[in-house]
Amino acid sequence: GGSGLSVSITGSSVGYAGGGSGGNKAGSGIASSDGGGTGAGTTGIGTAGTVNTGGGGGGGGVASYAGGGAGGSGLIVFRLPTSAYTTGYTTGSPTVTTDGSSTILQYTGSGTYVHGATAPELMYYLVLAGGASGASNGGGGGAGGLRTSYGTVTGGGGSLER
């Protein structure tokens, strides 16, 4: 599968949006990276893309028409100064952590974050769609779409959007 993108918006470098690798007709499965699932060997089932990374599922074994793995789910992340976060409010159930003077909100389901009156001038984001499942008979799943304002590049090699 194709390489994804490593982003440190949560405080740790995490690989997102890796494509699932294809199944193999002869031999063992082929590993993928950045959340993509591993393609199966001759008769196996491809592994799923990693949860909350948007990785594509691995392809099923070519000789057996075995199934492919499910795509990894998507994720929304916001990173903003903690002083600004305390003036906003959230809905849903985001995972809220801190990294230095920043607060990080990670949404794996529905929800919102709304700024208060002292909204920060800059809030970083990462928006990641879920990956596609791998196919039977070898095809690896495509990665989910990725957009981020954190770091130097965004999904697809485009310029950052701020």
Side-chain angles (χ1 to χ4, degrees):
S3 295
L5 181 68
S6 290
V7 182
S8 300
I9 192 168
T10 61
S12 300
S13 182
V14 177
Y16 298 104
S21 65
N24 193 351
K25 186 172 183 177
S28 59
I30 301 166
S32 191
S33 64
D34 298 324
T38 298
T42 307
T43 60
I45 296 173
T47 65
T50 305
V51 173
N52 301 329
T53 66
V62 176
S64 66
Y65 298 96
S73 53
L75 176 71
I76 304 285
V77 179
F78 297 117
R79 181 184 181 106
L80 63 153
T82 297
S83 60
Y85 168 69
T86 60
T87 65
Y89 67 90
T90 62
T91 64
S93 299
T95 299
V96 180
T97 58
T98 59
D99 181 41
S101 61
S102 296
T103 294
I104 297 114
L105 289 84
Q106 297 181 65
Y107 285 91
T108 58
S110 63
T112 59
Y113 171 74
V114 179
H115 289 298
T118 58
E121 292 182 21
L122 181 61
M123 177 175 73
Y124 295 105
Y125 66 87
L126 180 140
V127 178
L128 177 65
S133 64
S136 63
N137 200 23
L146 169 68
R147 285 306 229 189
T148 186
S149 63
Y150 193 83
T152 58
V153 297
T154 190
S159 62
L160 290 175
E161 297 176 356
R162 295 192 189 260

